[in-house]
Amino acid sequence: MSGTSAAEPLVRVEAIHKWFGSLHVLKGIDLSVQPRDVVCVVGPSGSGKSTLLRCINLLEEPSEGHVWFEGRDITDVRTNLNEVRTHIGIVFQQFNLFPHETAIQNVMLALQKVLGYGKDEARGIAERELAHVGLRLKGDSYPGQLSGGQQQRVAIARALAMAPKLMLFDEVTSALDPELVKEVLDVMKRLASEGMTMIVVTHEMGFAREVGDRMIFMDEGVIVEEGRPADLLSNPTQQRTRSFMSKIL
């Protein structure tokens, strides 16, 4: 873990609003994330957490506001989004693996299609990243032959293969059986210890307390409170945060 410093933020979200029709999902979000920071985002369902993540890598276009990445405004219409997204990995609750491709083929695909790597180079990177997530011997297995936790680790390896500068995790353990959660969280803890900048939407408060540099509590499209995870978990200042924590802890 690292503390924040006065360096240029890796990501800066400025006054982000998002409407879906008449539904106002994000209501003026401001957020800065320093290099190497692990920021955990918590809050009730429907509070806008996942939409915020999707706005950061512009899978969803903000209705208003700006997203800055490495000092440039990536919400500018002239931005090459495909190039930006190669630097921002995202892993979802659902694994989104191609069922008819092996684990190693799933990891190789974007390396070949997006980055233009040859087959041998892509395979070498894919083997390295599968080993990184503890699946060195599972490269030739198809998703249907893997547990949920293993499939999610393949999805993480696929994102890491692109050598991202930022990783976004959207409730990546919530579809898993409880006994499979730990193996995924262990991979994420190792990434944090290696200095990966991460924004993690999660209900895993033990992970947030142990690994997070900062916790953000969202409700109804706004950031209600933020601070050190231990402070928000043990001694939140806002009534809405207290009410949420009392229900989940």
PDB file of all heavy atoms in Angstrom, residues 194-207:
ATOM      1  N   GLU A 194       2.228  -5.135  -5.394  1.00  0.00           N
ATOM      2  CA  GLU A 194       3.162  -4.886  -6.501  1.00  0.00           C
ATOM      3  C   GLU A 194       3.054  -3.454  -7.023  1.00  0.00           C
ATOM      4  O   GLU A 194       3.783  -3.071  -7.940  1.00  0.00           O
ATOM      5  CB  GLU A 194       2.889  -5.877  -7.637  1.00  0.00           C
ATOM      6  CG  GLU A 194       3.226  -7.321  -7.280  1.00  0.00           C
ATOM      7  CD  GLU A 194       2.643  -8.336  -8.267  1.00  0.00           C
ATOM      8  OE1 GLU A 194       1.954  -7.923  -9.225  1.00  0.00           O
ATOM      9  OE2 GLU A 194       2.882  -9.541  -8.071  1.00  0.00           O
ATOM     10  N   GLY A 195       2.116  -2.671  -6.463  1.00  0.00           N
ATOM     11  CA  GLY A 195       2.035  -1.268  -6.834  1.00  0.00           C
ATOM     12  C   GLY A 195       1.017  -0.933  -7.906  1.00  0.00           C
ATOM     13  O   GLY A 195       1.035   0.176  -8.451  1.00  0.00           O
ATOM     14  N   MET A 196       0.115  -1.864  -8.218  1.00  0.00           N
ATOM     15  CA  MET A 196      -0.909  -1.567  -9.223  1.00  0.00           C
ATOM     16  C   MET A 196      -1.916  -0.558  -8.664  1.00  0.00           C
ATOM     17  O   MET A 196      -2.382  -0.708  -7.530  1.00  0.00           O
ATOM     18  CB  MET A 196      -1.650  -2.861  -9.623  1.00  0.00           C
ATOM     19  CG  MET A 196      -2.813  -2.657 -10.582  1.00  0.00           C
ATOM     20  SD  MET A 196      -2.330  -1.995 -12.197  1.00  0.00           S
ATOM     21  CE  MET A 196      -1.586  -3.455 -12.954  1.00  0.00           C
ATOM     22  N   THR A 197      -2.221   0.470  -9.432  1.00  0.00           N
ATOM     23  CA  THR A 197      -3.272   1.418  -9.062  1.00  0.00           C
ATOM     24  C   THR A 197      -4.616   0.754  -9.318  1.00  0.00           C
ATOM     25  O   THR A 197      -4.852   0.233 -10.413  1.00  0.00           O
ATOM     26  CB  THR A 197      -3.153   2.707  -9.895  1.00  0.00           C
ATOM     27  OG1 THR A 197      -1.804   3.167  -9.866  1.00  0.00           O
ATOM     28  CG2 THR A 197      -4.083   3.780  -9.363  1.00  0.00           C
ATOM     29  N   MET A 198      -5.505   0.766  -8.321  1.00  0.00           N
ATOM     30  CA  MET A 198      -6.750   0.009  -8.421  1.00  0.00           C
ATOM     31  C   MET A 198      -7.918   0.810  -7.860  1.00  0.00           C
ATOM     32  O   MET A 198      -7.787   1.471  -6.827  1.00  0.00           O
ATOM     33  CB  MET A 198      -6.620  -1.322  -7.635  1.00  0.00           C
ATOM     34  CG  MET A 198      -5.588  -2.255  -8.226  1.00  0.00           C
ATOM     35  SD  MET A 198      -4.942  -3.531  -7.072  1.00  0.00           S
ATOM     36  CE  MET A 198      -6.404  -4.328  -6.485  1.00  0.00           C
ATOM     37  N   ILE A 199      -9.036   0.736  -8.560  1.00  0.00           N
ATOM     38  CA  ILE A 199     -10.308   1.212  -8.020  1.00  0.00           C
ATOM     39  C   ILE A 199     -11.212  -0.014  -7.946  1.00  0.00           C
ATOM     40  O   ILE A 199     -11.463  -0.668  -8.964  1.00  0.00           O
ATOM     41  CB  ILE A 199     -10.948   2.313  -8.891  1.00  0.00           C
ATOM     42  CG1 ILE A 199      -9.970   3.464  -9.106  1.00  0.00           C
ATOM     43  CG2 ILE A 199     -12.239   2.820  -8.242  1.00  0.00           C
ATOM     44  CD1 ILE A 199     -10.483   4.553 -10.048  1.00  0.00           C
ATOM     45  N   VAL A 200     -11.669  -0.324  -6.739  1.00  0.00           N
ATOM     46  CA  VAL A 200     -12.334  -1.595  -6.476  1.00  0.00           C
ATOM     47  C   VAL A 200     -13.728  -1.334  -5.904  1.00  0.00           C
ATOM     48  O   VAL A 200     -13.854  -0.826  -4.782  1.00  0.00           O
ATOM     49  CB  VAL A 200     -11.509  -2.442  -5.475  1.00  0.00           C
ATOM     50  CG1 VAL A 200     -12.160  -3.804  -5.265  1.00  0.00           C
ATOM     51  CG2 VAL A 200     -10.069  -2.588  -5.936  1.00  0.00           C
ATOM     52  N   VAL A 201     -14.751  -1.658  -6.674  1.00  0.00           N
ATOM     53  CA  VAL A 201     -16.115  -1.669  -6.140  1.00  0.00           C
ATOM     54  C   VAL A 201     -16.317  -3.024  -5.476  1.00  0.00           C
ATOM     55  O   VAL A 201     -16.160  -4.068  -6.122  1.00  0.00           O
ATOM     56  CB  VAL A 201     -17.146  -1.447  -7.263  1.00  0.00           C
ATOM     57  CG1 VAL A 201     -18.567  -1.657  -6.735  1.00  0.00           C
ATOM     58  CG2 VAL A 201     -17.021  -0.049  -7.847  1.00  0.00           C
ATOM     59  N   THR A 202     -16.631  -3.018  -4.182  1.00  0.00           N
ATOM     60  CA  THR A 202     -16.641  -4.286  -3.457  1.00  0.00           C
ATOM     61  C   THR A 202     -17.551  -4.240  -2.246  1.00  0.00           C
ATOM     62  O   THR A 202     -17.856  -3.172  -1.703  1.00  0.00           O
ATOM     63  CB  THR A 202     -15.206  -4.647  -3.008  1.00  0.00           C
ATOM     64  OG1 THR A 202     -15.210  -5.959  -2.433  1.00  0.00           O
ATOM     65  CG2 THR A 202     -14.654  -3.648  -1.987  1.00  0.00           C
ATOM     66  N   HIS A 203     -18.011  -5.432  -1.844  1.00  0.00           N
ATOM     67  CA  HIS A 203     -18.688  -5.613  -0.550  1.00  0.00           C
ATOM     68  C   HIS A 203     -17.768  -6.311   0.452  1.00  0.00           C
ATOM     69  O   HIS A 203     -18.193  -6.603   1.573  1.00  0.00           O
ATOM     70  CB  HIS A 203     -19.959  -6.459  -0.720  1.00  0.00           C
ATOM     71  CG  HIS A 203     -21.073  -5.725  -1.410  1.00  0.00           C
ATOM     72  ND1 HIS A 203     -21.583  -4.540  -0.936  1.00  0.00           N
ATOM     73  CD2 HIS A 203     -21.768  -6.014  -2.532  1.00  0.00           C
ATOM     74  CE1 HIS A 203     -22.560  -4.126  -1.741  1.00  0.00           C
ATOM     75  NE2 HIS A 203     -22.669  -4.996  -2.718  1.00  0.00           N
ATOM     76  N   GLU A 204     -16.534  -6.586   0.025  1.00  0.00           N
ATOM     77  CA  GLU A 204     -15.596  -7.328   0.879  1.00  0.00           C
ATOM     78  C   GLU A 204     -14.876  -6.342   1.801  1.00  0.00           C
ATOM     79  O   GLU A 204     -13.824  -5.795   1.470  1.00  0.00           O
ATOM     80  CB  GLU A 204     -14.597  -8.105   0.014  1.00  0.00           C
ATOM     81  CG  GLU A 204     -15.225  -9.126  -0.924  1.00  0.00           C
ATOM     82  CD  GLU A 204     -15.822 -10.302  -0.183  1.00  0.00           C
ATOM     83  OE1 GLU A 204     -15.424 -10.547   0.980  1.00  0.00           O
ATOM     84  OE2 GLU A 204     -16.693 -10.980  -0.762  1.00  0.00           O
ATOM     85  N   MET A 205     -15.473  -6.119   2.981  1.00  0.00           N
ATOM     86  CA  MET A 205     -14.945  -5.075   3.870  1.00  0.00           C
ATOM     87  C   MET A 205     -13.602  -5.466   4.494  1.00  0.00           C
ATOM     88  O   MET A 205     -12.778  -4.592   4.774  1.00  0.00           O
ATOM     89  CB  MET A 205     -15.965  -4.762   4.968  1.00  0.00           C
ATOM     90  CG  MET A 205     -17.261  -4.198   4.423  1.00  0.00           C
ATOM     91  SD  MET A 205     -17.016  -2.672   3.485  1.00  0.00           S
ATOM     92  CE  MET A 205     -18.485  -2.666   2.470  1.00  0.00           C
ATOM     93  N   GLY A 206     -13.376  -6.752   4.684  1.00  0.00           N
ATOM     94  CA  GLY A 206     -12.073  -7.182   5.187  1.00  0.00           C
ATOM     95  C   GLY A 206     -10.968  -6.843   4.205  1.00  0.00           C
ATOM     96  O   GLY A 206      -9.897  -6.369   4.593  1.00  0.00           O
ATOM     97  N   PHE A 207     -11.232  -7.071   2.926  1.00  0.00           N
ATOM     98  CA  PHE A 207     -10.273  -6.704   1.874  1.00  0.00           C
ATOM     99  C   PHE A 207     -10.040  -5.194   1.880  1.00  0.00           C
ATOM    100  O   PHE A 207      -8.904  -4.725   1.819  1.00  0.00           O
ATOM    101  CB  PHE A 207     -10.805  -7.150   0.507  1.00  0.00           C
ATOM    102  CG  PHE A 207     -10.002  -6.650  -0.659  1.00  0.00           C
ATOM    103  CD1 PHE A 207      -8.888  -7.338  -1.100  1.00  0.00           C
ATOM    104  CD2 PHE A 207     -10.364  -5.486  -1.322  1.00  0.00           C
ATOM    105  CE1 PHE A 207      -8.131  -6.869  -2.167  1.00  0.00           C
ATOM    106  CE2 PHE A 207      -9.621  -5.002  -2.390  1.00  0.00           C
ATOM    107  CZ  PHE A 207      -8.506  -5.703  -2.820  1.00  0.00           C
TER     108      PHE A 207
END
